[in-house]
C-alpha cells in the first residue's frame, strides 16, 4: 500500500501519524495542509490504493519554479523526522461500488482502506494515529450547543496514556447519542454526521488495538479556513507541534511566478512571537 520515494522504506518507529478525514467543509484536509506548509515537511512516499478516486495535480506546496513541476496524487505521506511527525494527506473521495443482491446496493470502499491503513500503521511502528475531522454543526444537541465546538475521541489503547492530559486541558469527549435519532429508547452510540471515515477509523482502531485519537470540530459548509486554523490550534494544545504564537493568520495571494499559464492561490503562514515587536515573522510558505 505504501510506496516510498526512495529505495528503502523510511523508519517511522515511534512517530505520530496525523491524517484528515474527508469530512464536512474539508476542515481536516485544510488543517493537514496548514501543518505540512508551516512545518515544511518533506514527502517520503504515497499510498497506491484502489479505494480512492484517482487524481493527479501540481505540487500544492510549490514555492519556486524548480519544484512546481512535481506531481501530487490522491494520498501522499510527509514527514518531519526531527519531531517524529508523519502526515498523510488525502485529496480525493472514496470509490463507490455497486452490487446486486435482490436489488442494487451501493457502498464506499472506505472500510477496506481503513483496515489497510491501520495494518500499515502497526507494521511501520507508528506510536499513534491522530485523525483531524469535522461534523455537521446542525446535528448538535442542546448540551453541545452550549459548549465548545471541539470534541475528542480516544480508542481504549490510547486512553491509558492520554486521558489525564485531555482532562487537564479541560477538553470535552464526544458524547454518545441515540443510534436512531428521535427514538428515545434507541441504544446510545457515538455518531459523527458528516465525518466521513472518522467513525470507521475509530471503530477499527478500537477493534485492532491501535492507538487512535480523533479531534473534530462542529462546522457548517462555507469559508472553513478559520475552522481549520482552530482545529490546528486545538491539536497544538496537546502535541505542541508548532511554536506557540500570539497570533497566526493566513494571507492569500496570486502566485504567478511559476509560469504564464500557472496561476493559483497560495498561502503563507505568518507568526508573531511574543518577544518580537513590529512586523510579522514568516514561518513557512505553502
Amino acid at each position: 500500500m505504501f510506496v516510498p520515494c526512495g529505495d528503502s522504506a523510511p523508519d517511522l518507529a515511534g512517530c505520530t501519524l496525523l491524517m484528515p478525514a474527508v469530512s464536512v467543509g474539508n476542515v481536516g484536509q485544510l488543517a493537514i495542509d496548514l501543518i505540512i506548509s508551516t512545518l515544511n515537511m518533506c514527502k517520503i512516499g504515497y499510498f497506491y490504493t484502489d479505494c480512492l478516486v484517482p487524481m493527479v495535480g501540481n505540487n500544492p506546496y510549490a514555492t519556486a519554479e524548480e519544484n512546481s513541476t512535481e506531481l501530487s496524487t490522491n494520498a501522499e505521506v510527509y514527514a518531519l523526522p526531527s519531531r517524529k511527525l508523519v502526515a498523510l494527506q488525502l485529496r480525493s473521495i472514496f470509490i463507490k461500488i455497486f452490487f446486486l443482491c435482490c436489488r442494487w446496493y451501493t457502498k464506499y470502499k472506505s472500510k477496506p482502506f481503513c483496515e489497510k491503513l491501520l495494518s500499515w500503521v502497526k507494521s511501520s511502528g507508528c506510536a499513534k494515529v491522530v485523525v483531524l475531522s469535522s461534523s455537521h454543526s446542525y446535528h448538535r444537541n442542546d448540551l453541545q450547543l452550549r459548549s465548545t465546538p471541539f470534541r475528542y475521541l480516544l480508542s481504549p489503547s490510547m486512553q491509558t496514556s492520554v486521558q489525564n492530559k485531555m482532562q487537564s486541558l479541560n477538553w470535552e469527549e464526544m458524547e454518545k447519542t441515540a443510534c436512531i435519532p428521535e427514538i428515545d429508547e434507541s441504544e446510545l452510540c457515538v455518531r459523527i454526521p458528516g465525518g466521513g471515515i472518522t467513525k470507521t477509523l475509530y471503530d477499527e482502531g478500537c477493534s485492532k488495538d491501535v492507538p487512535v485519537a480523533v479531534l473534530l470540530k462542529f462546522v457548517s459548509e462555507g469559508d472553513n479556513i478559520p475552522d481549520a486554523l482552530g482545529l490546528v490550534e486545538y491539536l497544538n494544545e496537546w502535541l505542541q507541534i508548532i511554536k506557540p504564537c500570539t497570533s497566526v493568520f493566513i494571507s492569500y495571494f496570486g502566485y504567478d511566478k511559476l509560469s504564464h499559464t500557472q496561476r493559483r492561490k497560495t498561502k503563507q503562514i505568518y507568526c508573531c512571537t511574543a518577544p518580537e515587536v513590529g512586523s510579522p515573522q514568516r514561518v513557512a510558505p505553502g
Side-chain angles (χ1 to χ4, degrees):
M1 185 179 184
F2 175 71
V3 180
C5 289
D7 296 331
S8 60
D11 181 15
L12 304 181
C15 290
T16 297
L17 174 65
L18 307 176
M19 65 167 292
V22 183
S23 54
V24 56
N26 303 102
V27 174
Q29 294 162 289
L30 289 169
I32 293 295
D33 268 339
L34 186 61
I35 292 168
I36 294 172
S37 296
T38 303
L39 297 181
N40 198 22
M41 301 176 77
C42 60
K43 185 165 72 172
I44 60 171
Y46 61 93
F47 280 173
Y48 183 77
T49 174
D50 61 352
C51 298
L52 293 167
V53 174
M55 63 80 61
V56 67
N58 290 341
N59 179 9
Y61 312 116
T63 56
E65 189 172 358
E66 289 74 22
N67 59 1
S68 64
T69 55
E70 296 176 2
L71 296 180
S72 62
T73 56
N74 52 13
E76 293 187 319
V77 183
Y78 299 79
L80 187 64
S82 61
R83 299 194 187 182
K84 287 285 187 179
L85 278 180
V86 179
L88 165 64
Q89 180 61 296
L90 302 179
R91 298 193 177 97
S92 69
I93 60 174
F94 290 93
I95 290 177
K96 183 188 290 186
I97 58 175
F98 297 85
F99 61 98
L100 183 62
C101 181
C102 298
R103 65 186 184 90
W104 284 102
Y105 292 87
T106 62
K107 67 176 182 179
Y108 290 93
K109 299 182 73 171
S110 52
K111 186 176 175 62
F113 178 83
C114 293
E115 292 173 348
K116 294 175 183 177
L117 172 65
L118 294 183
S119 296
W120 172 74
V121 167
K122 295 186 75 171
S123 63
S124 62
C126 288
K128 56 182 174 288
V129 181
V130 181
V131 184
L132 303 182
S133 183
S134 54
S135 183
H136 286 299
S137 59
Y138 62 81
H139 276 276
R140 288 177 292 175
N141 55 33
D142 291 342
L143 177 63
Q144 292 168 337
L145 285 168
R146 293 193 297 267
S147 62
T148 174
F150 297 99
R151 290 294 187 275
Y152 76 92
L153 276 172
L154 300 175
S155 64
S157 57
M158 192 81 157
Q159 289 179 352
T160 54
S161 59
V162 177
Q163 187 68 52
N164 291 338
K165 176 65 175 179
M166 301 303 192
Q167 292 175 352
S168 68
L169 292 172
N170 294 318
W171 283 11
E172 297 191 25
E173 191 171 5
M174 188 65 174
E175 301 85 354
K176 291 184 177 181
T177 56
C179 293
I180 305 177
E182 309 299 331
I183 298 181
D184 296 334
E185 296 79 11
S186 175
E187 183 181 350
L188 296 180
C189 65
V190 174
R191 296 178 62 251
I192 308 177
I197 64 170
T198 307
K199 183 65 163 55
T200 304
L201 264 175
Y202 172 73
D203 290 340
E204 288 295 317
C206 293
S207 63
K208 296 183 183 299
D209 196 32
V210 177
V212 174
V214 174
L215 307 186
L216 64 85
K217 184 182 181 184
F218 294 113
V219 303
S220 299
E221 288 278 5
D223 180 6
N224 296 106
I225 294 173
D227 297 316
L229 279 167
L231 191 58
V232 172
E233 291 174 358
Y234 186 60
L235 169 70
N236 204 46
E237 287 182 32
W238 169 30
L239 295 183
Q240 295 292 303
I241 61 174
I242 301 172
K243 186 177 181 180
C245 305
T246 55
S247 64
V248 178
F249 63 91
I250 296 178
S251 64
Y252 286 85
F253 60 94
Y255 193 89
D256 52 17
K257 295 181 181 179
L258 301 181
S259 70
H260 294 292
T261 57
Q262 293 178 336
R263 291 175 182 266
R264 67 181 180 88
K265 292 293 183 179
T266 310
K267 57 179 176 289
Q268 278 188 313
I269 312 302
Y270 290 88
C271 168
C272 299
T273 55
E276 295 284 337
V277 178
S279 60
Q281 174 190 356
R282 189 174 71 179
V283 173

